[in-house]
Amino acid sequence: MNITFPILFSVFSSMDMLAMGARIHQLEKENQELRAALAAYQSKRQSVRSTSTQTNIHVENFSVESVSNSKIKNLFQYYTGITYLRFLMLISFLFPNGTNSDVNHVTYDSNREEVKRLPVDQQVFLFLCRIRNGLQVKDLACRFNLKIQSVSTILKGISKYMYLRLGSLSYWPHRSVIIQNMPSVYKEEFPNCVAIIDCTEIKIQRPSSLLCQSQCYSEYKSATTLKSLVVCDPRGSILFVSDLYCGSISDNDICVKSGFFQHLQSLMERGYLHPGDSIMADKGFRIEDQLAEIGLRLNIPPFASSAQSMSAANVTLTRKIAAHRIHVERAINQIKCFKLFSRKIPVSLLHSINEYWLCASLLTNFQDTLVK
């Protein structure tokens, strides 16, 4: 049977059209199935959201529970700087009535329903993630499934509340407790030295105001900084931390303006310190007269004379003081392990930087002591 070329071409074209039509029909059927699956998923998701809103539960993957139950070792401590058990102790102190109580003493600068739905222990966890790892607000909003404005509201509210609660405590124990827990070598060499003091600086972005630039410029750091006085015991635990002052302030002035001398006087009057007790510092602190008025002494390295070399006794004393004064530097470094302070502080954060600094400083007391 002979078939001409035009007839054969028309037969193949008809077969292609039939195959194409069948394929289109199959794709349309698959498209309908996918649309139905998508509609079912969206309906289920909306149902979960409405359920979580009604039961006041925040659905999230990044939370206190998920991080504390993670199989990754020390993950909770990585994000917060403290262990999960000590976090629970912190929460019980901050909220003695419980996190599920209807009474929440945290004040927020805006009335956002999203903030109210997030439990306060999760809010504290968010704040700790911010100061410990320096997580940005947008990052926290993504992790906690919140709006950026809600994260900012939580950070402001929790920082103020923790600043007031932690700052209301007295961290300076009785001298007998300090002496009893001194390292053995420290007790042999400085048995009446109950505290070690030093100042530290954190860098900030350069303010636009020339006056602020001048006040915050530190010749020691050659940058604009803020400066704080830090006091620790012989084991490295924080006893006193001042607010942050402009970087140009001297060590002596910061002791006066921070109320450190008034605090020592109060401790002396209550019997927490005895006449003859001493404070250890470096050569930059010329506060012998102020301490003498309170009844205390100052332990600083002896000054070298340009006319003659330092005696062997003074060299030995200098080495002893340097060996023990390192503990306050380690305590300061422990504070700066909160990564928010490891980079330049933006100008936009200066309005609440004192609250962040105090909370980070006092939270180091929830960690293990530096000197066993």
Side-chain angles (χ1 to χ4, degrees):
M1 175 172 144
N2 296 327
I3 301 177
T4 60
F5 179 76
I7 297 175
L8 183 63
F9 179 77
S10 64
V11 171
F12 286 140
S13 298
S14 299
M15 292 176 64
D16 291 341
M17 292 295 293
L18 291 173
M20 185 178 296
R23 179 59 176 163
I24 292 174
H25 179 73
Q26 181 182 0
L27 291 175
E28 289 178 347
K29 184 178 180 181
E30 292 179 358
N31 188 25
Q32 292 176 357
E33 292 176 353
L34 290 174
R35 287 177 179 273
L38 179 61
Y41 170 77
Q42 290 178 341
S43 175
K44 183 178 180 180
R45 185 180 180 186
Q46 184 65 30
S47 175
V48 171
R49 283 186 174 180
S50 60
T51 303
S52 65
T53 302
Q54 293 172 3
T55 57
N56 201 28
I57 297 176
H58 190 77
V59 179
E60 56 190 17
N61 294 324
F62 189 79
S63 64
V64 173
E65 293 76 16
S66 63
V67 175
S68 62
N69 294 328
S70 174
K71 295 182 180 179
I72 301 176
K73 186 178 180 180
N74 297 329
L75 184 64
F76 194 89
Q77 191 169 357
Y78 168 79
Y79 276 112
T80 63
I82 58 178
T83 63
Y84 179 62
L85 179 60
R86 291 174 183 174
F87 173 79
L88 296 179
M89 295 169 59
L90 174 65
I91 293 297
S92 65
F93 165 72
L94 294 175
F95 307 101
N97 295 327
T99 57
N100 296 324
S101 174
D102 295 333
V103 180
N104 184 359
H105 297 287
V106 182
T107 56
Y108 306 100
D109 57 4
S110 64
N111 189 16
R112 305 181 67 87
E113 289 297 326
E114 192 176 39
V115 174
K116 295 180 180 179
R117 290 200 301 267
L118 187 67
V120 288
D121 58 338
Q122 304 287 355
Q123 296 184 24
V124 174
F125 177 62
L126 183 150
F127 173 75
L128 295 182
C129 290
R130 167 66 165 154
I131 62 174
R132 180 63 179 183
N133 281 282
L135 299 181
Q136 300 293 340
V137 174
K138 187 176 291 186
D139 188 353
L140 293 169
C142 178
R143 290 173 186 266
F144 287 86
N145 193 22
L146 297 169
K147 295 180 181 179
I148 294 178
Q149 295 84 350
S150 299
V151 173
S152 299
T153 300
I154 290 172
L155 290 174
K156 291 178 182 178
I158 294 296
S159 63
K160 291 179 181 178
Y161 182 76
M162 288 184 62
Y163 177 82
L164 295 174
R165 290 287 291 165
L166 293 176
S168 65
L169 296 177
S170 176
Y171 297 88
W172 200 304
H174 193 276
R175 66 184 301 275
S176 61
V177 177
I178 296 177
I179 294 174
Q180 181 181 356
N181 292 280
M182 281 181 180
S184 57
V185 178
Y186 190 97
K187 186 181 295 187
E188 292 175 2
E189 297 175 348
F190 302 98
N192 295 323
C193 189
V194 294
I196 313 170
I197 68 174
D198 198 7
C199 285
T200 186
E201 298 179 66
I202 59 174
K203 293 183 179 180
I204 63 172
Q205 289 182 352
R206 182 179 298 175
S208 58
S209 169
L210 294 178
L211 177 61
C212 292
Q213 290 182 28
S214 175
Q215 292 175 338
C216 294
Y217 184 78
S218 168
E219 295 183 357
Y220 179 70
K221 294 289 186 179
S222 298
T224 50
T225 66
L226 296 176
K227 192 172 184 179
S228 175
L229 173 69
V230 178
V231 184
C232 74
D233 67 5
R235 297 192 307 164
S237 299
I238 299 297
L239 300 178
F240 178 90
V241 61
S242 74
D243 285 339
L244 290 161
Y245 295 87
C246 295
S248 60
I249 192 172
S250 66
D251 294 345
N252 297 344
D253 288 341
I254 201 171
C255 289
V256 175
K257 293 185 178 182
S258 65
F260 177 57
F261 295 131
Q262 289 88 336
H263 187 61
L264 292 177
Q265 182 65 47
S266 174
L267 292 170
M268 182 72 76
E269 293 173 354
R270 289 184 290 156
Y272 277 58
L273 296 176
H274 289 177
D277 290 341
S278 61
I279 305 294
M280 184 179 292
D282 64 9
K283 295 179 181 179
F285 289 88
R286 304 308 305 270
I287 55 177
E288 300 94 334
D289 296 339
Q290 292 89 337
L291 291 179
E293 293 178 359
I294 302 173
L296 302 175
R297 296 185 296 108
L298 179 65
N299 273 336
I300 60 173
F303 289 88
S305 173
S306 58
Q308 57 185 1
S309 60
M310 187 177 292
S311 64
N314 285 342
V315 171
T316 302
L317 178 59
T318 300
R319 289 177 178 174
K320 288 181 180 180
I321 292 177
H324 296 299
R325 206 182 62 81
I326 193 70
H327 299 325
V328 70
E329 296 178 3
R330 294 175 63 196
I332 291 171
N333 182 66
Q334 201 172 19
I335 299 172
K336 292 186 177 180
C337 283
F338 286 84
K339 297 179 183 178
L340 182 68
F341 308 105
S342 63
R343 58 174 180 263
K344 287 186 177 181
I345 304 298
V347 175
S348 60
L349 196 59
L350 295 183
H351 67 281
S352 57
I353 191 60
N354 275 324
E355 298 159 7
Y356 284 77
W357 174 253
L358 179 76
C359 291
S361 301
L362 298 182
L363 283 173
T364 60
N365 287 339
F366 285 80
Q367 302 172 357
D368 294 335
T369 55
L370 293 172
V371 184
K372 302 298 181 183

